[in-house]
């Protein structure tokens, strides 16, 4: 073993230890509980009974897809607009995007309760101008809105990162060849920014499909998402760890499948999402 190889392994050792303790070990524990019963005997009963929670899986995927699409629609033009500004303005907008991420996740979610509540800012304004208050809180729309707000920075940042590195000469060449704005976007800008889009979709969809706190506070526990179901069983005590782990295992497999499928739409050489 040469000194360079030994040095690389030495530098990487803290990350390897961290991954083993906080990633690999918890996964092993989860798989163990998912495939055993209360006595520790091997069983597939936990997995075979997950059909009872197909509604929670379906709604979670539906909400996550909706939140991801809305986030992409909002974030893409925002990221593109940022690249058109001068450096100082880009830094300012970048800071504005980052500031919500510095605040506690619970505070960010609670802030929307103040805005959407029956006596919140929006309904107070509507009442003051003579209109009827709207049912905004404890609705599917409120849950999706919370997801979009909490996770939109994860969509903006990777798209902006890729767009800011686009070769301007390619855009000039497209203009010289007679491309209009739409053709230039379709043939040059979007294909080159696709790795950032894929990364953003991944970074938004994964936390959205597994979230639970947003749905509890903004959805009023009227709809059990898969994250809520997992938390519910874990809170019931050790007797329910097996079924909670089985649901978690299936959710993890679903996420890995989604990551694999999305990775197929981008080239590794273009800086796409790598597994």
């Amino acid at each position: 073993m040469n000194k360079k190889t030994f040095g690389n392994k030495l530098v990487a050792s803290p990350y390897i230890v961290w991954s083993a303790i906080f990633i690999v070990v918890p996964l092993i524990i989860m798989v163990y509980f998912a495939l055993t019963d209360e006595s520790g005997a091997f069983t597939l009963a936990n997995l075979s009974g997950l059909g009872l929670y197909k509604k929670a899986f379906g709604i979670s995927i539906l909400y996550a897809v909706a939140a991801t699409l809305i986030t992409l629609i909002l974030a893409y033009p925002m990221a593109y607009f940022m690249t058109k500004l001068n450096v100082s303005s880009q830094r300012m907008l970048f800071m504005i995007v980052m500031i919500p991420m510095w605040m506690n996740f619970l505070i960010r979610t609670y802030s929307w309760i103040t805005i959407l509540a029956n006596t919140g800012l929006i309904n107070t304004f509507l009442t003051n101008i003579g209109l009827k208050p709207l049912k905004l809180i404890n609705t599917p729309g409120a849950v999706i809105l919370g997801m979009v707000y909490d996770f939109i920075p994860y969509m903006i940042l990777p798209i902006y990162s890729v767009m800011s590195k686009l070769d301007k000469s390619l855009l000039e060449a497209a203009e010289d060849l007679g491309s209009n704005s739409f053709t230039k976007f379709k043939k040059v800008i979007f294909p080159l920014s696709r790795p950032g889009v894929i990364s953003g979709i991944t970074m938004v969809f994964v936390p959205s499909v597994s979230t639970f706190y947003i749905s509890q506070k903004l959805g009023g526990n009227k709809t059990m998402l898969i994250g809520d179901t997992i938390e519910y069983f874990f809170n019931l005590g050790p007797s329910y760890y097996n079924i909670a782990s089985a649901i978690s295992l299936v959710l993890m497999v679903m996420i890995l499948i989604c990551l694999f499928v999305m990775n197929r739409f981008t080239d590794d050489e273009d800086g796409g999402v790598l597994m």
Side-chain angles (χ1 to χ4, degrees):
M1 179 183 299
N2 56 48
K3 292 183 178 180
K4 185 176 180 180
T5 303
F6 177 77
N8 291 341
K9 291 186 176 181
L10 185 63
V11 171
S13 58
Y15 172 76
I16 296 174
V17 173
W18 175 276
S19 299
I21 296 176
F22 295 102
I23 299 178
V24 177
V25 173
L27 287 177
I28 292 174
I29 295 174
M30 179 187 67
V31 173
Y32 168 78
F33 276 102
L35 300 179
T36 57
D37 56 20
E38 292 185 52
S39 64
F42 174 79
T43 180
L44 294 177
N46 299 323
L47 296 175
S48 61
L50 293 185
L52 298 173
Y53 314 105
K54 59 183 179 182
K55 181 178 179 180
F57 277 107
I59 294 177
S60 298
I61 295 174
L62 179 63
Y63 283 18
V65 169
T68 303
L69 290 177
I70 295 172
T71 302
L72 177 60
I73 292 172
L74 296 175
Y76 196 94
M78 176 63 178
Y80 180 75
F81 173 74
M82 290 173 63
T83 62
K84 295 300 181 180
L85 301 176
N86 56 52
V87 176
S88 60
S89 297
Q90 287 187 35
R91 290 175 179 172
M92 182 186 69
L93 281 180
F94 188 85
M95 185 68 66
I96 293 174
V97 172
M98 290 292 294
I99 285 176
M101 299 176 66
W102 297 347
M103 294 187 295
N104 185 275
F105 182 82
L106 305 184
I107 296 176
R108 300 205 307 267
T109 304
Y110 265 109
S111 66
W112 279 104
I113 299 178
T114 305
I115 297 172
L116 301 176
N118 296 332
T119 57
L121 297 178
I122 295 178
N123 280 324
T124 299
F125 173 76
L126 293 176
T127 302
N128 290 337
I129 63 176
L131 299 177
K132 293 183 179 180
L134 301 175
K135 178 63 175 178
L136 301 175
I137 198 72
N138 300 335
T139 61
V143 177
I144 295 174
L145 175 62
M147 293 179 181
V148 171
Y149 171 74
D150 282 315
F151 304 131
I152 194 170
Y154 301 122
M155 183 70 76
I156 294 177
L157 297 181
I159 296 177
Y160 165 75
S161 178
V162 172
M163 280 190 170
S164 62
K165 300 174 183 176
L166 293 181
D167 189 348
K168 300 299 188 297
S169 63
L170 296 176
L171 301 179
E172 295 172 356
E175 293 174 355
D176 292 339
L177 293 173
S179 297
N180 55 30
S181 298
F182 176 77
T183 303
K184 186 168 61 174
F185 170 79
K186 180 181 178 181
K187 298 294 186 179
V188 181
I189 298 176
F190 184 76
L192 293 178
S193 63
R194 188 172 62 180
V197 172
I198 299 298
S199 296
I201 290 174
T202 303
M203 295 173 67
V204 172
F205 178 79
V206 170
S208 295
V209 78
S210 58
T211 189
F212 62 94
Y213 189 80
I214 296 175
S215 57
Q216 291 176 5
K217 297 305 177 184
L218 300 182
N221 287 324
K222 291 185 177 181
T223 302
M224 289 283 286
L225 301 184
I226 199 62
D228 300 315
T229 305
I230 294 171
E231 186 204 26
Y232 171 77
F233 281 116
F234 269 114
N235 288 337
L236 290 180
S239 298
Y240 294 88
Y241 285 177
N242 302 94
I243 184 63
S245 297
I247 298 174
S248 301
L249 178 60
V250 173
L251 178 61
M252 183 187 70
V253 172
M254 288 173 52
I255 292 174
L256 290 176
I257 292 174
C258 292
L259 291 175
F260 176 78
V261 171
M262 284 186 285
N263 278 337
R264 304 296 296 178
F265 290 93
T266 186
D267 296 326
D268 294 348
E269 295 179 357
D270 292 335
V273 184
L274 299 178
M275 291 175 56

